[in-house]
Amino acid sequence: LMDEGEKLLAKKDARGAAAKFDEAARLAPRQAILPALKAIALVEANELRSARESAREAARRDPALFHGRLAGGLSAYRLSDWRDAISELETAEKSVGAQLVTTYYLGRSFEALGDRSSAVEKYKLIAQSGATGEQADYAKRRLVEWGVMAPAGAQPPYPQQQPYPR
């Protein structure tokens, strides 16, 4: 059932995947990965309150499970609950280390709270990682807009000319 759910999720059938993960969870009620995967599918389906509840169930079963904390963070972010998003995403990073997705949404959450210095810290990590794609582009654009980073292709300023000694 879990494999079927993952295949449906890969085919962008998030609701079908969530149903398979839910069915599997009823058969294996102690497995934290199943409500975590259901939560990820529900985030994809934009069923954010249900996703958040499934993520909380995964966290009750295994507080350190990355996927459950990630889904909790993403659903909280999309529900504009920035502080909960930060808490969940930081906990996710404690389990497996910083990931592009966690660092990006941490930066976005800090930015939404008006904590520019924390957002800059996260966006710098993304810019320095060499990552590409929409999330990396957003982080770099914000760093340029905030004057933290030079625009791509910008030439460094020339040093002032010193008069030749006579």
Side-chain angles (χ1 to χ4, degrees), residues 82-97:
W82 318 120
R83 292 188 195 289
D84 191 45
I86 290 167
S87 175
E88 290 290 325
L89 294 167
E90 285 178 339
T91 303
E93 284 191 341
K94 286 177 187 168
S95 355
V96 298

Side-chain angles (χ1 to χ4, degrees), residues 104-159:
Y104 173 76
Y105 282 105
L106 279 166
R108 292 293 301 259
S109 296
F110 285 125
E111 182 180 345
L113 286 172
D115 184 351
R116 187 179 283 188
S117 64
S118 294
V120 164
E121 180 184 313
K122 296 301 179 183
Y123 294 158
K124 277 182 173 179
L125 289 172
I126 294 169
Q128 294 165 355
S129 74
T132 58
E134 287 180 40
Q135 294 175 344
D137 291 345
Y138 180 89
K140 292 172 190 172
R141 186 170 58 252
R142 294 306 273 163
L143 291 171
V144 169
E145 290 169 359
W146 293 339
V148 176
M149 189 171 96
Q155 297 296 317
Y158 292 103

Side-chain angles (χ1 to χ4, degrees), residues 150 153-162:
Q155 297 296 317
Y158 292 103
Q160 284 193 329
Q161 295 290 328
Q162 299 295 321

